[in-house]
Amino acid sequence: MVRIYVIDNGGQWTHREWRTLRDIDVDTKIFPNTTPFEELDNENIDGLVLSGGAPSVALESKLGNCTEYLEKAYFPILGICAGHQFMAQFFGGEAAPSKVPELGKIELTLLKDDMLFEGVPKKSIVWESHNDEVSVLPKTFEVLGESESCKIQAMRHKEKPFYGLQFHPEVEHTEYGEQIFKNFVNMCKT
Amino acid sequence: MFDAEKFIEKTVDQLQEKIKGKALIAFSGGVDSTVCAALVNNAIGDRLIAVHVDTGYMRKNESIDVKKMMEELGLNYRFIDASKEFYASLKNVEDPEEKRKIIGEKFIRLFEKTAKEEGIEYLVQGTIAPDWIESGDELRDTIKSHHNVGGLPEDIAVKLVEPLRDLYKDEVRKVARVLKLPVSERQPFPGPGLAIRIIGEATPKRTEVIREACYIVEKEIENAVKQGIIEKPWQYFAVLIPVKTVGVQGDKRVYGYTIAIRAVQSVDAMTCKYSHIPHEVLDNISIKIANALGNEINRIVYDVTNKPPGTVEWE
């Protein structure tokens, strides 16, 4: 059984991420973001999800031990919402308040083929809940998807298996959310 | 995938292990507390006492129906009519969080009283995942204090048992179906009841108005579902908005309150879409509310907000 843990940054949908993983037969647990990397590593995990967070939490310089995870991980990481924004900042990009916050239903447009979006059409409905977003892409990343108001909806590291998503693949109303999680799980298996 | 049968087996074992003496369950008659009661009843039998509180903010005939159900389920139960107390404690209270906290505390003090009188050590609650998620904690923002979590006072004299904490409503329904409980498909109803479907002060008079309006919405929507006109919404109800607008009734100017109709589709309450109710159904609801509550209500609107940005209930 592939083992992927969810790091809780205080989002409303952290537990939903856990549930989605469990529903697709992943061995999963929620850990607070204060957990040291060694403790996670000792559990032989295959991947990590960095959850969304309480309002504007990613704009502060620290998000628990997320820095340590991004420094040391040799397995795939999926950052969602605040987790995504923090990932961008960690790698030298920037996050800032959104000009147009997106709440609820939004159309996502994929810009590039990628394993994470296998089986997801070029345009699909995703659900959002954010007041901040990635404003400057880190040099080591590329953009995979955008929406009308937010140009960095999905990004990946050019060399490492690290992904960031501004939208929420874990909620019921995101059309291809479960597919995205399945693709992430497949990456963690290999 | 969530396996209801395995969950039941594991939970009953754990409850047997955990609850050594008597336990009290806060029994609203909704799907969460009924599933909880059935599980604990399987585990410890007669040592479980179900307590239903009529807060005065229940829906039409609800407490009478709940009493009947507790009998049918063979539960050892107590029925407390505390409506006067609840009305008194919410006098002049307008803030939704304050309402929720007052109600949460009132509930727990009533349960503690019963627990003390009957030598009960454990309080079982049907808390599910969205209750504690939205109530907030050290990490999470408080969206609203669910009466059974964020509404709980810090000093409580009983030990809490919450076997459904990691479940969402759709999973609780799966458990209810396996247990063959009659409430498995019942729509959610919040613990604070009609008190949070009245914006502003929840006076007894306004409560009567919203009780009737909710009854009409439920009846008309359920009729439409029966006739195959619409899919059953996740939740459907009315909200009383104490904003006055001008109307004309029998050639006379009136100046009355507003009712909002709300119906949403969801699976787990964490995200919702407003239901696309056909105009013929909305029209029926509008006419019936106007006719039944004409003296108080002269404007009826339909809420077209998703979650996010809104929540299901208005408070």
Side-chain angles (χ1 to χ4, degrees):
Chain A
M1 215 177 187
V2 56
R3 180 173 288 176
I4 302 171
Y5 286 176
V6 176
I7 295 299
D8 186 6
N9 290 315
Q12 288 290 311
W13 294 324
T14 302
H15 192 267
R16 248 323 299 210
E17 288 151 11
W18 169 84
R19 177 185 166 167
T20 304
L21 288 168
R22 189 212 53 193
D23 280 357
I24 52 176
D25 293 323
V26 170
D27 179 7
T28 182
K29 274 186 199 163
I30 299 175
F31 275 78
N33 65 9
T34 47
T35 313
F37 179 80
E38 267 60 46
E39 202 181 315
L40 297 169
D41 201 27
N42 287 342
E43 302 246 341
N44 289 318
I45 55 174
D46 301 300
L48 211 52
V49 172
L50 308 181
S51 84
S56 293
V57 71
L59 298 191
E60 293 156 24
S61 58
K62 208 168 172 299
L63 193 60
N65 281 337
C66 285
T67 303
E68 202 193 353
Y69 311 149
L70 290 165
E71 266 166 12
K72 296 183 180 167
Y74 47 85
F75 41 71
I77 295 184
L78 176 64
I80 297 175
C81 197
H84 151 80
Q85 294 160 14
F86 187 78
M87 187 183 278
Q89 288 171 305
F90 173 84
F91 285 103
E94 280 171 38
S98 306
K99 283 202 185 84
V100 184
E102 294 172 306
L103 306 162
K105 194 170 158 183
I106 295 289
E107 188 179 63
L108 169 75
T109 304
L110 295 178
L111 302 171
K112 245 185 194 144
D113 286 338
D114 190 273
M115 264 174 80
L116 189 69
F117 293 109
E118 229 173 73
V120 182
K122 190 160 190 289
K123 286 186 188 289
S124 68
I125 297 298
V126 299
W127 277 45
E128 309 262 355
S129 189
H130 67 104
N131 290 305
D132 308 315
E133 64 187 65
V134 175
S135 52
V136 178
L137 186 76
K139 286 200 175 67
T140 45
F141 276 65
E142 56 186 341
V143 181
L144 300 176
E146 64 174 20
S147 66
E148 196 187 340
S149 308
C150 172
K151 292 304 156 200
I152 307 174
Q153 280 290 349
M155 62 176 197
R156 72 160 294 167
H157 195 285
K158 286 176 186 163
E159 278 137 34
K160 298 177 180 203
F162 292 175
Y163 287 85
L165 300 176
Q166 182 53 65
F167 64 92
H168 290 268
E170 70 275 22
V171 303
E172 186 65 33
H173 287 107
T174 291
E175 270 183 312
Y176 293 90
E178 193 173 283
Q179 184 60 40
I180 295 170
F181 267 97
K182 281 181 181 160
N183 294 340
F184 180 68
V185 171
N186 283 337
M187 270 181 246
C188 294
K189 275 183 194 159
T190 50
Chain B
M1 217 38 173
F2 176 71
D3 184 332
E5 279 169 31
K6 257 192 215 148
F7 175 82
I8 294 169
E9 207 176 300
K10 196 183 80 194
T11 308
V12 171
D13 280 353
Q14 285 170 347
L15 289 167
Q16 261 164 357
E17 183 86 2
K18 191 166 183 178
I19 304 177
K20 292 301 171 204
K22 287 207 249 178
L24 180 158
I25 178 154
F27 192 84
S28 71
V31 56
D32 305 335
S33 61
T34 307
V35 163
C36 236
L39 291 171
V40 182
N41 207 32
N42 281 350
I44 66 163
D46 260 4
R47 283 189 282 137
L48 173 70
I49 290 145
V51 179
H52 176 76
V53 179
D54 181 356
T55 60
Y57 294 108
M58 305 300 281
R59 286 168 295 179
K60 203 168 178 175
N61 301 327
E62 188 163 21
S63 284
I64 299 166
D65 292 342
V66 171
K67 201 170 170 184
K68 229 188 278 166
M69 189 168 69
M70 291 193 290
E71 270 161 24
E72 281 163 11
L73 291 172
L75 294 172
N76 180 5
Y77 76 87
R78 311 281 179 273
F79 184 93
I80 303 173
D81 179 358
S83 37
K84 282 197 185 120
E85 263 179 66
F86 275 83
Y87 287 149
S89 68
L90 289 185
K91 202 170 162 36
N92 296 325
V93 179
E94 292 193 349
D95 180 72
E97 276 298 287
E98 211 182 317
K99 282 188 203 171
R100 285 175 170 272
K101 288 194 168 146
I102 290 170
I103 291 168
E105 168 139 27
K106 204 111 212 99
F107 268 119
I108 202 86
R109 299 304 176 214
L110 285 166
F111 297 141
E112 279 176 345
K113 194 166 157 252
T114 308
K116 201 171 166 203
E117 285 164 7
E118 308 205 19
I120 297 167
E121 219 181 316
Y122 299 89
L123 171 63
V124 184
Q125 296 199 119
T127 307
I128 62 171
D131 298 342
W132 61 262
I133 293 171
E134 294 192 338
S135 291
D137 48 35
E138 304 85 48
L139 269 178
R140 237 168 302 281
D141 215 33
T142 301
I143 307 303
K144 51 180 74 169
S145 299
H146 288 259
H147 70 291
N148 51 351
V149 186
L152 275 185
E154 275 171 26
D155 57 318
I156 52 171
V158 279
K159 290 180 196 149
L160 272 188
V161 180
E162 298 178 320
L164 310 180
R165 263 184 85 83
D166 270 335
L167 269 52
Y168 291 87
K169 192 71 92 184
D170 58 310
E171 298 168 321
V172 182
R173 291 196 200 286
K174 280 186 187 160
V175 177
R177 286 177 208 131
V178 173
L179 294 170
K180 299 203 165 47
L181 296 171
V183 293
S184 63
E185 314 311 314
R186 197 174 185 256
Q187 70 156 323
F189 184 62
L194 299 174
I196 54 160
R197 289 184 179 170
I198 300 164
I199 309 307
E201 192 185 347
T203 63
K205 198 177 160 204
R206 288 176 178 179
T207 307
E208 291 315 319
V209 172
I210 196 63
R211 200 181 335 261
E212 191 59 30
C214 280
Y215 175 70
I216 293 169
V217 171
E218 286 193 16
K219 214 169 64 177
E220 291 306 314
I221 295 230
E222 281 160 15
N223 272 342
V225 172
K226 237 182 259 163
Q227 290 166 26
I229 301 171
I230 51 168
E231 198 186 314
K232 191 175 184 231
W234 157 271
Q235 212 168 327
Y236 41 99
F237 54 91
V239 181
L240 175 66
I241 311 168
V243 166
K244 285 188 169 182
T245 65
V246 175
V248 52
Q249 289 177 4
D251 302 304
K252 196 173 149 240
R253 174 195 157 98
V254 286
Y255 193 46
Y257 288 157
T258 306
I259 287 279
I261 303 163
R262 177 92 164 127
V264 299
Q265 307 298 131
S266 183
V267 166
D268 55 17
M270 296 307 288
T271 49
C272 303
K273 282 185 187 171
Y274 76 84
S275 300
H276 294 204
I277 305 283
H279 279 289
E280 52 180 301
V281 179
L282 289 174
D283 199 25
N284 269 341
I285 296 173
S286 167
I287 292 166
K288 295 223 159 100
I289 290 177
N291 285 339
L293 300 166
N295 289 337
E296 302 289 334
I297 304 296
N298 61 324
R299 196 160 300 271
I300 296 142
V301 299
Y302 187 56
D303 180 357
V304 293
T305 318
N306 296 330
K307 170 183 183 174
T311 53
V312 179
E313 299 283 349
W314 280 37
E315 290 200 329

